[in-house]
Amino acid sequence: MKNIAASLAVLVSLASQIPGFIGTEVQPPKMNVPAGFTPIFSGKDLTGWHVSKTNHHGITPDYHVMHGLVVGTQQPLGAGGILLTDKKYKNVEVYLEVKPDWGCDSGLFLRSDEAGNAYQVTLDYLEGGVLGGMYGEGLTDVKDASATPKFDAGTIWQKAWKREDWNRVRARIEGDVPHVQAWINDQQVLDFTDTANHASGGITEGPIAIQIHGGPDRWVPGGFWRWRVIAVKEL
């Protein structure tokens, strides 16, 4: 480690002698965390997170930290996966600031198990996709107790979303029988209450996860998802 630091110091010294050199390191912008929320991504590394080794989308997704962001993509192409929190959460609201590339499918998993069976708030940023829908990832009988869904997420997200820009996503899960709500840029897109608790094994708490969807039709070569804020408020 000392040798690496010494080598970097030498390189910086040499670079400063290059006429007109502008390659000086700058710090990433400060993270904007709303009042009442606690960041669970430091902006520096993935401490407190781990990749699932049993997820059916893949077990070798590329999640890394760059420029203060979590950056994720398929690795190899076609193989996705999920990044899970080490900590389990029950009643919680999650706040994200995200900027994906078009054609790349992700999701926010709530009350997940290690394999990624969870209540998923969909973040399907591709043709025909829905951001802010509800999907029982690996779960059975997940169904809205309301005969008529309160929101048509398939159309409303497109009005709220800012393309080629950073977007705010909030999702909340609470109750032994899960009640899940979601907002995109403060526009509510989801209000879902299950008919019963259909979480894996009947759990009422579990990790939060962010997804890189597997398969050739849900990702584009060279595409990425980016998260610059991941924060929670336990309820």
Side-chain angles (χ1 to χ4, degrees):
M1 185 64 72
K2 290 182 179 179
N3 289 337
I4 294 175
S7 297
L8 287 174
V10 170
L11 289 174
V12 169
S13 176
L14 291 173
S16 64
Q17 299 174 33
I18 298 173
F21 184 75
I22 61 172
T24 304
E25 181 182 1
V26 297
Q27 294 302 309
K30 186 177 180 180
M31 197 179 293
N32 176 33
V33 180
F37 285 81
T38 301
I40 55 173
F41 161 56
S42 68
K44 298 178 180 178
D45 56 40
L46 294 176
T47 298
W49 297 78
H50 65 278
V51 171
S52 169
K53 295 304 180 185
T54 54
N55 184 252
H56 74 280
H57 285 273
I59 59 173
T60 58
D62 179 3
Y63 291 96
H64 62 276
V65 177
M66 182 177 71
H67 302 169
L69 316 175
V70 179
V71 179
T73 191
Q74 291 185 340
Q75 181 60 33
L77 189 62
I82 58 172
L83 185 68
L84 292 147
T85 59
D86 297 341
K87 181 178 177 177
K88 296 180 180 179
Y89 297 88
K90 184 178 181 179
N91 298 325
V92 66
E93 185 169 327
V94 184
Y95 175 84
L96 310 174
E97 291 186 4
V98 299
K99 187 178 182 183
D101 290 331
W102 176 250
C104 297
D105 186 345
S106 182
L108 174 63
F109 289 22
L110 304 170
R111 294 189 188 173
S112 184
D113 64 12
E114 186 63 25
N117 301 307
Y119 285 91
Q120 181 192 161
V121 176
T122 61
L123 296 171
D124 306 345
Y125 194 51
L126 71 176
E127 189 69 34
V130 175
L131 281 82
M134 169 49 55
Y135 179 64
E137 179 81 13
L139 308 181
T140 58
D141 299 322
V142 172
K143 183 180 179 181
D144 198 334
S146 173
T148 305
K150 298 180 178 67
F151 298 95
D152 179 9
T155 57
I156 198 170
W157 76 265
Q158 298 180 49
K159 298 177 182 178
W161 187 262
K162 298 182 292 185
R163 194 159 182 168
E164 305 300 330
D165 201 353
W166 287 96
N167 288 268
R168 303 182 307 278
V169 177
R170 287 191 296 125
R172 175 188 296 181
I173 186 167
E174 51 193 334
D176 288 346
V177 174
H179 177 209
V180 183
Q181 300 176 81
W183 297 260
I184 294 175
N185 294 323
D186 300 321
Q187 170 66 59
Q188 189 164 11
V189 294
L190 177 67
D191 189 348
F192 169 93
T193 301
D194 205 349
T195 54
N197 179 18
H198 294 109
S200 175
I203 61 174
T204 56
E205 64 175 20
I208 295 163
I210 53 176
Q211 180 198 44
I212 299 296
H213 202 292
D217 301 325
R218 311 294 289 186
W219 208 264
V220 294
F224 289 88
W225 260 77
R226 302 164 190 85
W227 299 260
R228 70 179 179 187
V229 181
I230 309 175
V232 298
K233 176 168 60 178
E234 296 191 69
L235 307 173

